[in-house]
Amino acid sequence: MLRIANYFESRLGRNDGNPLYVQACLKRMQYYTGIHGGLGPSKELWPWFADGKEDLLANASAKFLWDQEKTLLEVDHLYPTGDMSPFGTYDLNIHVDWGEDGLTGVLPYTPIETPKPMAYWASDTHLGYDYRLMMAKKADFAFCAQKKGAEDMKRDGVEN
């Protein structure tokens, strides 16, 4: 079992954009690894298919993962606050850019450091670039939603 934790805030009323997109993609991959692993379709995961149609890319990715690793996915959404130890450890911790740098005055807490190994998904590099660059440099893997952001980060020393 490959355990993935996806960290993003959704309690402030914003539950859209890249954080939700990444979560939905991962949950659909979890659904398909169950099928490829012989568990059959999961009714609990079907709501992640918003349009009620199959996701060919998630299916192909899950099949590749199953064929290569013979492992299932377990994907959890964790809020970036508090003690995460009751959830155990994860094989990968994904920090999805949810605009936390611009929300610190509104949040009733200080976001925790995302545990390692960490993948960082920067979605709005045109807003608060310095913060997103700092986060990408902390990460074991960094991804940018915009091509220019990826080019800028590579220029500024992000190699992963």
Side-chain angles (χ1 to χ4, degrees):
M1 174 89 50
L2 178 62
R3 296 185 74 220
I4 299 175
N6 191 10
Y7 295 79
F8 68 91
E9 178 62 67
S10 63
R11 294 169 294 181
L12 298 175
R14 180 174 187 242
N15 198 11
D16 62 351
N18 274 312
L20 188 57
Y21 173 77
V22 171
Q23 181 71 3
C25 290
L26 290 169
K27 292 302 263 185
R28 291 191 301 261
M29 283 182 63
Q30 179 180 338
Y31 173 87
Y32 286 117
T33 59
I35 291 173
H36 294 295
L39 299 178
S42 166
K43 290 180 183 178
E44 292 81 27
L45 293 171
W46 188 248
W48 289 100
F49 293 82
D51 58 5
K53 296 180 182 175
E54 292 191 44
D55 182 330
L56 298 177
L57 181 58
N59 191 358
S61 300
K63 183 173 183 344
F64 179 81
L65 178 64
W66 180 259
D67 289 347
Q68 296 298 308
E69 303 293 329
K70 301 291 188 251
T71 190
L72 302 172
L73 283 181
E74 177 186 310
V75 179
D76 294 323
H77 168 206
L78 300 177
Y79 296 113
T81 182
D83 179 12
M84 299 297 179
S85 63
F87 302 102
T89 59
Y90 288 87
D91 299 300
L92 181 63
N93 300 280
I94 301 177
H95 184 109
V96 180
D97 171 14
W98 47 273
E100 64 275 14
D101 57 319
L103 294 172
T104 52
V106 178
L107 296 173
Y109 62 87
T110 300
I112 63 165
E113 290 288 322
T114 304
K116 297 273 190 169
M118 174 187 156
Y120 178 62
W121 177 283
S123 58
D124 290 322
T125 54
H126 61 288
L127 303 170
Y129 176 75
D130 291 339
Y131 175 82
R132 285 158 181 80
L133 177 63
M134 183 234 358
M135 289 295 293
K137 286 183 176 182
K138 287 182 182 181
D140 299 293
F141 311 97
F143 305 93
C144 292
Q146 295 91 13
K147 183 178 179 181
K148 182 176 181 337
E151 292 167 347
D152 290 347
M153 285 197 182
K154 185 172 183 176
R155 176 199 69 217
D156 293 333
V158 175
E159 296 295 328
N160 45 4

